[in-house]
Amino acid sequence: MRRIRGARTPIMRCLGVVLVLMAVGALAKRGGDSLFDDAAGVTRLDRAGARAVSRNETDAKGWVVVFYAPWCGHCRHYAPEFRKFAAALTVGDESIRAGVVSCAAESKACQDNAVQGYPTIKSFGV
């Protein structure tokens, strides 16, 4: 039988499917996007929330917002520091708030804010 270079055999296709299913299962088991779950002082923003923050249509004087991807190694490394920062903001007068936008879940919000890499940290109204 003649083999065409680059052609995948049925076994290789099955192996690829199994690997994808394992990765999806690992994310589901881990909760997927859990970098900022239950973090004191961190507000999760959807597209409408991110738009309101960027247009200064909230009751806060300013916002510091992290646009991130849950699979990003740099984001995973930065998340604990941002959680500490957000918790410290709650001790003061709370006029400045911390927000996060998951670009995996809210891709349009990230496009609206010209996010090109992760993490992207932006301040609004500050």
Side-chain angles (χ1 to χ4, degrees):
M1 174 160 57
R2 184 173 173 210
R3 200 171 233 189
I4 300 172
R5 188 176 183 155
R8 292 188 178 169
T9 64
I11 293 173
M12 291 302 289
R13 277 185 259 152
C14 288
L15 180 61
V17 169
V18 168
L19 289 175
V20 168
L21 290 174
M22 287 174 58
V24 169
L27 282 175
K29 187 176 183 179
R30 226 179 39 211
D33 185 2
S34 61
L35 291 181
F36 298 99
D37 286 352
D38 301 324
V42 176
T43 303
R44 282 192 175 274
L45 301 170
D46 58 8
R47 187 177 186 192
R51 184 179 297 132
V53 166
S54 67
R55 293 179 180 173
N56 203 20
E57 297 172 345
T58 68
D59 58 342
K61 287 183 184 175
W63 286 81
V64 177
V65 179
V66 174
F67 297 87
Y68 73 98
W71 47 261
C72 167
H74 296 295
C75 300
R76 291 190 163 290
H77 182 74
Y78 178 69
E81 296 304 316
F82 190 73
R83 287 193 298 263
K84 290 178 198 173
F85 169 75
L89 288 177
T90 63
V91 174
D93 63 1
E94 297 188 26
S95 61
I96 298 176
R97 296 193 185 146
V100 294
V101 177
S102 170
C103 293
E106 300 291 341
S107 61
K108 294 287 186 186
C110 295
Q111 288 174 359
D112 294 345
N113 285 281
V115 174
Q116 295 181 349
Y118 308 114
T120 296
I121 300 107
K122 292 192 173 199
S123 63
F124 299 96
V126 181

